[in-house]
C-alpha cells in the first residue's frame, strides 16, 4: 500500500460566473452542459449544495461590468458567442445562495469602478451578517475600457493609477469595516432602552483624491468585519497591492515554475510589510479532465475539444489585454506588445512558451491547455502536489461544463485527495476566514486594515 508524506490540505474553490460562456469558450454547446440555464436559480442552488456536500471551501463567482474589447473589428462576436454577455450580478446571486448553504464560502468579484465604497461596504457587511460570516471579495480594477465608460469614465484608466484608485477604495472600506464601530458598541439593552452606545460609533470623515465619506458605517460589524480579501493582479503593481491587502491570491499560471516565481515574489513583498507567508493563500486556476483510464481521458478530451471555440478564447484574452487579435494568422507573434489592460495576463502569456514570444495560436493554447490537468485521479493528484510544491495552497477549479466538471472532480479526484490527506472531510466551525486560516474570524493584527481599529475614538459623534 502506498504511503505519502503528510502535506497541508489543498483549499478547493469552484470558479464560475453567472453567464453562459466564462473561461472555456464554446463548451456551453456541449450536450451535457447546463450553463445556458444561468438565469435559473435552481442551477446555482443545486451546484452550491453539491459543493457543500463535498466540503469545498468556496464558490467563487467572477464578474465583468463591460464588454471585452474589439474582436474582428467590433463587439458583435462577443454577443453572438455569449462571451460573458449577458452576465448577471454575483452579489445578488450569492445573497440567494447564502440562504441555501451553511458552510460554503461565498466569494464574489466586484470592481472599484462599479460601486461607491460606502454602498459596497454596506452590502458586503449585510451579506456577511446574513451568511454567518462566509463572504469573500475578489478586488478588481477592471481592465475593460467599456466597463470604465459604463460608469462615467473617459476610457480605461492607466494601469498603475487603477491600483492607486483601489488603494483609496480599500482605505475607505477598512475605515468603515474596522474603525467605525468599536467592539461592544451594539448593546441592544431592552431594559435600559439603549440599542447602541453612541460614544463607540464613529464617523470616519474620509477625505481623499477620489472619495469623501463621512460615515459612520450603517452596518454594525459582521462576524468577519472585513470579508476575506481575494485579489488576482499579477503585474508588478498588482503584486504590491496583493502583498499589502490580499489574504488569497488567484493566479493563472502557465506552469509550476511561473507559479513559484509569483508566489515567492508576493510573499517576499508581504514579509517586507510585516506580514507572514501564511497570511496569504494562493489559488491556481486549473481545469481537469478526469478518467479511470488513459483511454477514457483521451476520449473525454476529444469530446470537449469538439465544442471548444479557440477563437472565443483568443477574443477573451485579447479583449482583456486591449488588443484586437481577430482575423490575424495563427502564427502572428505578439512581439513587444505593451498594454494598460491586464498586464499580468500578458506576462503569463509571454512566459508560456520557450523564447517568450507567443503566437496567437499559443494564446489559445495557453488558456485551453496550459491550465488543464488531464489524467486518472492518481495522475491528477500527483500533478497537484507539484503545484503545491510551487507555493500553491488551493485550486480554483475552472469548469468545462456545469455541473458536470465539478461532478467529475468530486467523484473522481476528491477521493484520492482525501486518501492522501489533501482534502478536508468535515468543515471547521466558524467563519470563512476561520475555516481557511485556522485562526480568528477577523483580520490578524499584522494586516494593514487593522490600523483603523480605534483610530476614530476621538472624532466627535
Amino acid at each position: 500500500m502506498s504511503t505519502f508524506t503528510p502535506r497541508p490540505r489543498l483549499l478547493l474553490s469552484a470558479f464560475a460566473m453567472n453567464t453562459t460562456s466564462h473561461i472555456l469558450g464554446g463548451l456551453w454547446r456541449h450536450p451535457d452542459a447546463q450553463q445556458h440555464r444561468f438565469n435559473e436559480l435552481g442551477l446555482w442552488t443545486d451546484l452550491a449544495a453539491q459543493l457543500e456536500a463535498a466540503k469545498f471551501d468556496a464558490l467563487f463567482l467572477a464578474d465583468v461590468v463591460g464588454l471585452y474589447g474589439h474582436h474582428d473589428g467590433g463587439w458583435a462576436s462577443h454577443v453572438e458567442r455569449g462571451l460573458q454577455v449577458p452576465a448577471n450580478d454575483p452579489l445578488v446571486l450569492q445573497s440567494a445562495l447564502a440562504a441555501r448553504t451553511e458552510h460554503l464560502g461565498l466569494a464574489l468579484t466586484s470592481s472599484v469602478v462599479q460601486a461607491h465604497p460606502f454602498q459596497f461596504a454596506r452590502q458586503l457587511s449585510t451579506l456577511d451578517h446574513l451568511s454567518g460570516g462566509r463572504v469573500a471579495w475578489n478586488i478588481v480594477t477592471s481592465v475593460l475600457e467599456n466597463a470604465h465608460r459604463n460608469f462615467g469614465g473617459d476610457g480605461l484608466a492607466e494601469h498603475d493609477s487603477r491600483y492607486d484608485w483601489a488603494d483609496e477604495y480599500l482605505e475607505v472600506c477598512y475605515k468603515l469595516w474596522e474603525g467605525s464601530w468599536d467592539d461592544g458598541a451594539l448593546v441592544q439593552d431592552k431594559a435600559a432602552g439603549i440599542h447602541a452606545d453612541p460614544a463607540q460609533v464613529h464617523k470616519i470623515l474620509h477625505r481623499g483624491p477620489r472619495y469623501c465619506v463621512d460615515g459612520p458605517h450603517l452596518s454594525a460589524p459582521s462576524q468577519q468585519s472585513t470579508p476575506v480579501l481575494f485579489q488576482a493582479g499579477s503585474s508588478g503593481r498588482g503584486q504590491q497591492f496583493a502583498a499589502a491587502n490580499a489574504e488569497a491570491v488567484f493566479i493563472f499560471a502557465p506552469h509550476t515554475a511561473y507559479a513559484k516565481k509569483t508566489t515567492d515574489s508576493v510573499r517576499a513583498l508581504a514579509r517586507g510589510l510585516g506580514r507572514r507567508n501564511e497570511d496569504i493563500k494562493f489559488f491556481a486556476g486549473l481545469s481537469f479532465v478526469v478518467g479511470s483510464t488513459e483511454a477514457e481521458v483521451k476520449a473525454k478530451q476529444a469530446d470537449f475539444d469538439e465544442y471548444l471555440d479557440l477563437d472565443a478564447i483568443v477574443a477573451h484574452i485579447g479583449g482583456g489585454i486591449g488588443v484586437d487579435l481577430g482575423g490575424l494568422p495563427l502564427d502572428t507573434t505578439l512581439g513587444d506588445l505593451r498594454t494598460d489592460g491586464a498586464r499580468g495576463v500578458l506576462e503569463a502569456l509571454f512566459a508560456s512558451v520557450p523564447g517568450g514570444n507567443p503566437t496567437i495560436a499559443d494564446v489559445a493554447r495557453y488558456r485551453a491547455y496550459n491550465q488543464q490537468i488531464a489524467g486518472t485521479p492518481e495522475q491528477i493528484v500527483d500533478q497537484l502536489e507539484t503545484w503545491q510544491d510551487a507555493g500553491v495552497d488551493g485550486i480554483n477549479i475552472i469548469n468545462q461544463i456545469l455541473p458536470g466538471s465539478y461532478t467529475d472532480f468530486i467523484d473522481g479526484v476528491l477521493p484520492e485527495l482525501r486518501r492522501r490527506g489533501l482534502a478536508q472531510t468535515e468543515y471547521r466551525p466558524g467563519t470563512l476566514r476561520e475555516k481557511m486560516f485556522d485562526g480568528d474570524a477577523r483580520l490578524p493584527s499584522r494586516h494593514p486594515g487593522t490600523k483603523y481599529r480605534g483610530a476614530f475614538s476621538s472624532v466627535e459623534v
Side-chain angles (χ1 to χ4, degrees), residues 254-255 333 347-359 362 365-366 370:
H255 42 66
T333 59
E347 290 168 9
L349 277 171
F350 280 107
S352 69
V353 296
N357 190 16
T359 65
D362 292 324
R365 284 192 289 267
Y366 160 73
N370 281 63

Side-chain angles (χ1 to χ4, degrees), residues 32-160:
D32 295 333
Q34 297 298 304
Q35 50 260 48
H36 64 284
R37 296 172 46 222
F38 70 96
N39 281 323
E40 299 177 27
L41 181 58
L43 174 71
W44 300 102
T45 54
D46 288 349
L47 176 62
Q50 180 183 27
L51 298 172
E52 185 159 89
K55 306 301 186 289
F56 267 53
D57 292 276
L59 170 57
F60 183 128
L61 292 181
D63 193 28
V64 292
V65 287
L67 297 168
Y68 279 82
H70 285 183
H71 187 72
D72 288 330
W75 50 271
S77 67
H78 301 331
V79 177
E80 183 175 344
R81 288 186 164 98
L83 175 55
Q84 299 187 12
V85 54
N88 295 331
D89 189 331
L91 178 61
V92 177
L93 176 55
Q94 292 287 36
S95 300
L97 298 183
R100 304 293 186 94
T101 53
E102 184 180 356
H103 295 284
L104 185 69
L106 306 171
L108 61 100
T109 298
S110 184
S111 169
V112 300
V113 169
Q114 71 187 79
H116 191 283
F118 181 84
Q119 170 68 1
F120 183 68
R122 185 185 184 209
Q123 289 173 318
L124 285 203
S125 290
T126 302
L127 184 56
D128 206 48
H129 277 298
L130 297 179
S131 67
R134 293 186 283 131
V135 177
W137 170 29
N138 178 38
I139 309 159
V140 298
T141 64
S142 289
V143 299
L144 304 180
E145 181 174 357
N146 182 242
H148 287 255
R149 293 189 182 279
N150 284 340
F151 293 92
D154 293 330
L156 182 62
E158 187 272 332
H159 180 274
D160 287 5

Side-chain angles (χ1 to χ4, degrees), residues 128 132-135 178 183 222-229 247 276 278-279 281 428-447 450 453:
D128 206 48
R134 293 186 283 131
V135 177
E178 297 291 334
D183 293 340
S222 65
Q223 290 89 328
Q224 298 185 120
S225 291
T226 296
V228 174
L229 300 172
E247 297 175 275
R276 298 175 183 171
E278 61 267 27
D279 291 342
K281 305 291 188 184
R428 185 180 188 272
T431 65
L432 178 59
R433 184 174 283 112
E434 290 172 287
K435 288 175 166 65
M436 285 180 58
F437 292 93
D438 295 330
D440 295 331
R442 298 184 65 183
L443 286 175
S445 59
R446 298 178 297 277
H447 192 283
T450 63
R453 293 175 186 167

